[in-house]
Amino acid sequence: MSTATKELTKQEAFLTYLLRLADDRLILGQRNSEWCGHGPQLEEDLAIANISLDLIGHATALYEYAAEVEDEGHDEDHFAYFRDDREFTNLQLCELPKGDFGFTIARQFLFSAFSYFQYERLKEAQDEQFTGMVNKHLKEIKYHLRHSREWVLRLGDGTEESHNRIQESFDELWMYTDELFYMDEVDEWMIKEGLGVDSSEFKDEWKKLVEDTLTEATLTVPDWDQFMMSGSRKGIHTEHLGHMLAQMQFLRRSYPDAEWK
Amino acid sequence: MENQEKLDEFQARIDAGEKIEPKDWMPERYRQQLIRMMSQHAHSEIVGMLPEGNWIERAPSLKRKLVLLAKVQDEAGHGLYLYSATETLGIDRSELVDQYLYGNAKYSSIFNYPTMTYADICAIGWLVDGAAIVNQTMLARSSYGPYSRANVRICKEESFHKKQGYEMLAKMASGTPEQQKMAQDAVNRWWWPSLMMFGPHDSDSPNSAELIKWQVKLKTNDELRQHFVDRMVMEAEAIDVTLPDPDLTYNEETGHWDFGEIPWDEFWNVVKGNGIMNRDRMKARRSAHENGEWVREAAVEYARKKKLREEKAS
Ligand SMILES: [Fe+2]
Ligand SMILES: [Fe+2]
Ligand SMILES: [Fe+2]
């Protein structure tokens, strides 16, 4: 009888860890890029495009490193263009449709707040190439957090309509937040090797930042104890991801022998 | 009052190559012509985000996705500087935006053509940004200070856009048979519209003489178009794409390339709103504006409340 789960190697764990980080950023960046040309005002067209650009840039750097760690001759595009839904390990939070501007902002705030605490700790990882990347990206994450937090305040404490809209967005997004803190054997390996972070260590800080911001925005903090979604990190997704990948990958896959860089 | 003396003085400043600044006296007609031209330029940058934005999500590599996203973001930036420059003439951005969304202000017709394949993105970078550079390099020397400075800034970024488009088009033109076909097809479809970007022939361009007298423009439509054709013929040769004009011939006498008759019927048809994408472009911009209203209102209301709180506190 074969064992149900084969022993995870350090290399496999690190590769998975990098891909999870990268997939979140590619999928959210791709989603946000849908705003380009359609923002509520020109300044926000610029800001959201900028955030997308950062996120996809971070994903690209992470995929490049993942390709090195994997060492099978792949490049960054392999991970973005030649994997299917079940192989993508991004959070469901990142793949949900863009919604209205408030929904995009609420999601960005929840995600950027998490990234901020996560990257603050990843700075200490025992791998210079990795921390070089982390430090560079952290600067941009701080900007994303500031930008989205300011908009949460504006919309929450703006008009009655904006208040109701963004409240509804947070209510809808809430069940996707628990997955931010999901950990498994991959994380255990990485923590043991001094490469990853234990997200339970900053869960309270993250919650406090979120609660304080929502309160300042005169919003109601939804119930943390409600039903929470799970499965993203094992490749379980909403139906939205498949459509996004179909669109994102079609040209590259239609002409796989062509040079597109 | 616009007495002759003032007008002469103004013309003398223009002729001496001085820049006109927002606080300077200027003829009302000069102000109006600038508002029309500058806002049209700004609207074009914004509408121009749509045909290219159409391929961000489908760009064929991460690198190309980043390049395209950055480019479209630059165009939003161009729109922003141009609106700010236009505001120095005493008109609000919101009024200008209303004029093109709901009134009869125009934007460049080139953006009413569809981007059907990814090669269109490359052809646009090469031809459309290329034509824009020819035009904007001239406008960078325009007599109105803020417009001139905005164009200096814009030109730097447009050169980059053109380079990226041209390089990728070259790659496709020497790539797989399918890529080559896509590249040539894109050039075939974008060539004539890019020539039309310079506007009608001088003989059909009623504003031209006045704009040149005031050095808002320094060259005529036909001069600029000829300059563009001469350059593009060389650049097309270098990457092995064919320009779809059997009449292109080098004229020894003039030292320029002669070209065939521009399909003006098509041009006027698109100007009148019958381009394949006219309706969609306007719909997309209007719905962005209308769907964004609650956001803009919230920002204003939040700022008001915040100010009130700060006043109370002090
Ligand atoms: Fe531009
Ligand atoms: Fe332009
Ligand atoms: Fe451009």
Side-chain angles (χ1 to χ4, degrees):
Chain A
M1 210 178 92
S2 63
T3 46
T5 49
K6 102 176 158 28
E7 201 63 45
L8 188 73
T9 66
K10 179 190 161 188
Q11 184 204 21
E12 286 163 350
F14 196 24
L15 174 63
T16 307
Y17 198 75
L18 291 169
L19 289 178
R20 287 176 180 178
L21 286 170
D23 288 349
D24 284 348
R25 283 153 186 82
L26 174 63
I27 298 302
L28 183 54
Q30 171 86 0
R31 195 53 98 195
N32 284 345
S33 76
E34 293 172 19
W35 280 102
C36 202
H38 307 279
Q41 60 190 36
L42 205 39
E43 288 78 357
E44 283 318 294
D45 256 302
L46 278 159
I48 302 180
N50 194 33
I51 292 173
S52 288
L53 210 47
D54 290 343
L55 288 169
I56 299 170
H58 298 178
T60 304
L62 287 159
Y63 285 137
E64 279 168 1
Y65 196 26
E68 264 180 58
V69 169
E70 187 196 39
D71 198 22
E72 283 185 20
H74 289 140
D75 66 358
E76 69 281 8
D77 285 345
H78 165 79
F79 298 109
Y81 290 92
F82 295 96
R83 287 183 306 149
D84 292 328
D85 320 36
R86 291 287 283 117
E87 295 158 280
F88 267 82
T89 54
N90 62 280
L91 297 165
Q92 290 165 17
L93 177 80
C94 298
E95 75 206 30
L96 298 173
K98 79 183 202 300
D100 68 10
F101 181 74
F103 188 87
T104 288
I105 286 295
R107 168 187 24 214
Q108 191 64 49
F109 169 67
L110 295 167
F111 181 79
S112 296
F114 178 85
S115 300
Y116 167 71
F117 291 118
Q118 183 185 34
Y119 272 57
E120 274 290 346
R121 283 167 179 77
L122 281 176
K123 281 199 310 199
E124 315 299 330
Q126 303 299 308
D127 178 313
E128 263 181 44
Q129 193 178 342
F130 186 42
T131 53
M133 206 179 324
V134 164
N135 277 311
K136 221 175 116 208
H137 299 173
L138 183 56
K139 275 191 212 121
E140 294 171 341
I141 291 169
K142 284 180 185 166
Y143 160 74
H144 304 167
L145 176 57
R146 196 176 60 224
H147 181 265
S148 56
R149 196 185 111 82
E150 281 169 2
W151 271 107
V152 170
L153 298 179
R154 279 189 202 108
L155 298 178
D157 193 16
T159 63
E160 197 187 328
E161 181 181 6
S162 69
H163 175 93
N164 293 339
R165 279 186 187 240
I166 196 160
Q167 180 69 60
E168 207 176 296
S169 297
F170 276 114
D171 293 346
E172 238 178 89
L173 284 161
W174 221 244
M175 64 154 102
Y176 298 97
T177 56
D178 196 49
E179 280 206 295
L180 286 163
F181 294 92
Y182 170 86
M183 286 197 288
D184 61 12
E185 67 280 10
V186 171
D187 301 84
E188 278 163 32
W189 245 116
M190 289 300 98
I191 294 164
K192 202 177 84 197
E193 292 292 325
L195 288 168
V197 299
D198 180 350
S199 55
S200 67
E201 279 175 14
F202 59 82
K203 191 169 185 176
D204 288 342
E205 274 178 277
W206 175 83
K207 269 186 162 177
K208 185 170 183 321
L209 174 61
V210 169
E211 285 173 1
D212 289 352
T213 303
L214 265 65
T215 306
E216 191 183 333
T218 72
L219 294 164
T220 308
V221 178
D223 181 9
W224 289 116
D225 295 325
Q226 65 179 280
F227 177 78
M228 292 282 173
M229 287 297 175
S230 62
S232 301
R233 298 304 189 200
K234 297 291 181 197
I236 300 298
H237 296 285
T238 66
E239 291 175 355
H240 304 295
L241 182 68
H243 293 278
M244 183 196 275
L245 296 183
Q247 189 181 33
M248 183 170 82
Q249 297 174 335
F250 110 88
L251 176 60
R252 183 59 180 264
R253 286 197 183 197
S254 302
Y255 306 99
D257 301 329
E259 172 62 57
W260 290 112
K261 275 206 219 177
Chain B
M1 277 300 94
E2 301 200 349
N3 58 35
Q4 196 55 43
E5 207 176 314
K6 271 195 147 166
L7 285 169
D8 291 345
E9 224 174 85
F10 180 79
Q11 191 62 49
R13 290 192 60 196
I14 298 276
D15 295 341
E18 278 181 46
K19 289 270 179 270
I20 307 301
E21 294 301 332
K23 289 206 173 73
D24 297 348
W25 184 86
M26 61 186 85
E28 187 51 28
R29 176 88 184 148
Y30 178 83
R31 184 192 305 276
Q32 290 310 328
Q33 285 282 32
L34 277 169
I35 290 175
R36 182 186 60 79
M37 244 181 95
M38 291 167 69
S39 62
Q40 192 170 318
H41 190 172
H43 307 326
S44 302
E45 300 283 355
I46 303 307
V47 178
M49 295 170 73
L50 298 171
E52 297 195 80
N54 185 36
W55 279 89
I56 291 171
E57 290 146 78
R58 293 175 289 170
S61 67
L62 290 169
K63 183 187 158 198
R64 290 289 147 190
K65 190 187 288 291
L66 291 167
V67 163
L68 183 55
L69 191 48
K71 182 189 177 191
V72 179
Q73 189 197 21
D74 284 348
E75 306 302 0
H78 299 170
L80 203 56
Y81 323 146
L82 288 164
Y83 281 126
S84 312
T86 316
E87 283 187 322
T88 63
L89 293 160
I91 187 163
D92 248 30
R93 180 166 120 200
S94 59
E95 196 178 327
L96 296 169
V97 169
D98 276 349
Q99 283 173 4
Y100 96 95
L101 291 182
Y102 307 106
N104 48 19
K106 298 269 179 253
Y107 59 88
S108 179
S109 281
I110 191 88
F111 301 119
N112 291 321
Y113 290 88
T115 50
M116 293 172 64
T117 73
Y118 176 72
D120 290 25
I121 298 307
C122 312
I124 288 180
W126 177 43
L127 296 171
V128 177
D129 286 83
I133 290 167
V134 170
N135 203 22
Q136 289 165 173
T137 305
M138 166 195 73
L139 293 171
R141 293 185 291 132
S142 159
S143 62
Y144 187 54
Y147 194 32
S148 149
R149 290 187 289 273
N151 277 294
V152 170
R153 223 171 134 183
I154 289 171
C155 276
K156 280 189 203 139
E157 292 175 348
E158 303 289 19
S159 305
F160 204 56
H161 299 166
K162 182 187 166 191
K163 185 169 167 273
Q164 288 167 329
Y166 185 57
E167 281 173 2
M168 189 62 209
L169 190 71
K171 202 165 276 179
M172 290 186 75
S174 63
T176 65
E178 292 94 342
Q179 282 180 309
Q180 291 179 21
K181 203 172 139 199
M182 259 188 247
Q184 185 59 54
D185 172 59
V187 172
N188 291 348
R189 282 180 291 111
W190 290 93
W191 172 248
W192 290 108
S194 72
L195 292 196
M196 297 176 203
M197 281 175 74
F198 297 95
H201 281 311
D202 298 343
S203 50
D204 300 319
S205 178
N207 293 311
S208 239
E210 189 177 50
L211 292 173
I212 288 180
K213 180 184 85 180
W214 281 329
Q215 299 282 293
V216 171
K217 288 178 69 168
L218 290 91
K219 285 188 174 139
T220 69
N221 295 352
D222 286 327
E223 285 171 327
L224 292 168
R225 184 163 25 236
Q226 185 63 60
H227 177 81
F228 176 71
V229 170
D230 291 344
R231 273 192 81 157
M232 293 298 126
V233 169
M234 280 180 357
E235 293 181 9
E237 247 167 47
I239 62 168
D240 274 330
V241 293
T242 310
L243 297 175
D245 179 359
D247 296 329
L248 264 177
T249 36
Y250 187 70
N251 183 328
E252 297 281 352
E253 235 164 86
T254 59
H256 293 295
W257 283 82
D258 292 338
F259 50 95
E261 183 56 27
I262 294 171
W264 291 113
D265 286 349
E266 178 187 313
F267 174 79
W268 290 114
N269 207 23
V270 178
V271 169
K272 280 184 204 126
N274 297 321
I276 297 188
M277 297 303 289
N278 278 62
R279 288 168 195 79
D280 295 82
R281 300 293 183 239
M282 287 314 289
K283 245 187 238 169
R285 288 309 307 158
R286 281 188 195 131
S287 75
H289 187 72
E290 286 157 18
N291 294 334
E293 194 170 356
W294 69 275
V295 175
R296 297 190 300 274
E297 280 171 3
V300 171
E301 181 59 9
Y302 176 77
R304 191 190 66 83
K305 286 185 193 169
K306 198 175 165 201
K307 199 174 152 219
L308 216 68
R309 273 194 297 266
E310 282 164 4
E311 279 168 6
K312 238 185 219 164
S314 67

